[in-house]
Amino acid sequence: MVGVKTVKIDGECIYIFNSAIYLFESSTGFTLELDIIVSEVTVKKYKKEETLIIEIELEDGRNIHSIMHVKILSGGLPQLNLFCELADIQEFDGLHNVTENDAWFPNIEEGITLEEIRKVEMPIEEVSLKLKLPIDQVEWLKSQKKRQLNEMFQEFIYDNWKKNNS
């Protein structure tokens, strides 16, 4: 079975943790399918898109360029399912064939953890807190710059994690 070397979405190379490329045969025809484990940041970036321009470099040196539909697979690790219909499957020799009735299906999540993914690219989320504090602390907080507060709270949280886990 041929493996995936690199993937570019709209010309931008993305980091893939694992992947499977295969031909899916259904009663309506064939589709080229690419399942990739990516970071949560990548999923968030493309989750509202319907189609993307995809460039796939295979380990055997072949390149595939196609406009593909994107589906976000929920549950488990962050992953994208990219697919496009095929009229001719001749140029895709060496790819695994999967049918609707097959028991085999690629498990690309095996051996990868969310913690490993976040070491490569940690998502940053905005959070709002409602606190009741003495007025002098409120005044001090308001006088601080947002960047300084972000750094301070990150450090405070990591320090408390360490304290509570030891």
Side-chain angles (χ1 to χ4, degrees):
M1 192 164 92
V2 178
V4 175
K5 188 174 179 181
T6 61
V7 175
K8 287 184 181 179
I9 298 179
D10 292 339
E12 181 183 336
C13 199
I14 62 164
Y15 192 93
I16 53 176
F17 294 87
N18 201 3
S19 64
I21 188 166
Y22 54 94
L23 298 174
F24 184 78
E25 183 181 1
S26 68
S27 57
T28 59
F30 286 93
T31 56
L32 175 65
E33 304 260 345
L34 174 63
D35 294 338
I36 51 178
I37 301 289
V38 294
S39 71
E40 294 157 296
V41 174
T42 301
V43 167
K44 188 175 184 177
K45 184 175 182 176
Y46 298 112
K47 74 179 177 184
K48 292 183 180 166
E49 302 294 328
E50 289 183 25
T51 58
L52 299 165
I53 299 169
I54 305 296
E55 299 172 48
I56 305 164
E57 182 184 1
L58 300 177
E59 289 175 344
D60 66 5
R62 289 185 286 174
N63 290 300
I64 300 169
H65 301 272
S66 182
I67 295 174
M68 299 181 92
H69 301 279
V70 62
K71 204 173 11 173
I72 307 299
L73 302 178
S74 59
L77 299 176
Q79 59 184 293
L80 300 175
N81 169 253
L82 304 165
F83 60 96
C84 63
E85 292 181 17
L86 296 175
D88 181 23
I89 63 167
Q90 299 299 327
E91 63 187 276
F92 300 102
D93 285 344
L95 297 185
H96 198 86
N97 259 5
V98 178
T99 66
E100 294 175 300
N101 303 321
D102 274 351
W104 179 89
F105 206 74
N107 179 8
I108 59 174
E109 290 190 0
E110 194 173 322
I112 302 170
T113 65
L114 191 56
E115 289 76 26
E116 292 170 324
I117 292 171
R118 288 180 175 171
K119 285 178 186 175
V120 174
E121 190 170 36
M122 176 68 79
I124 303 294
E125 295 286 325
E126 206 165 294
V127 65
S128 296
L129 300 173
K130 290 258 184 197
L131 303 170
K132 287 186 177 185
L133 298 170
I135 190 68
D136 60 342
Q137 291 182 9
V138 172
E139 291 169 346
W140 181 85
L141 281 171
K142 287 181 177 180
S143 71
Q144 303 304 305
K145 293 183 177 161
K146 188 176 182 178
R147 183 174 177 224
Q148 290 170 317
L149 288 173
N150 284 333
E151 290 172 5
M152 182 181 72
F153 277 101
Q154 285 178 20
E155 193 175 311
F156 170 77
I157 291 168
Y158 283 129
D159 286 348
N160 275 323
W161 276 353
K162 287 178 191 172
K163 243 191 279 185
N164 292 333
N165 290 334
S166 33

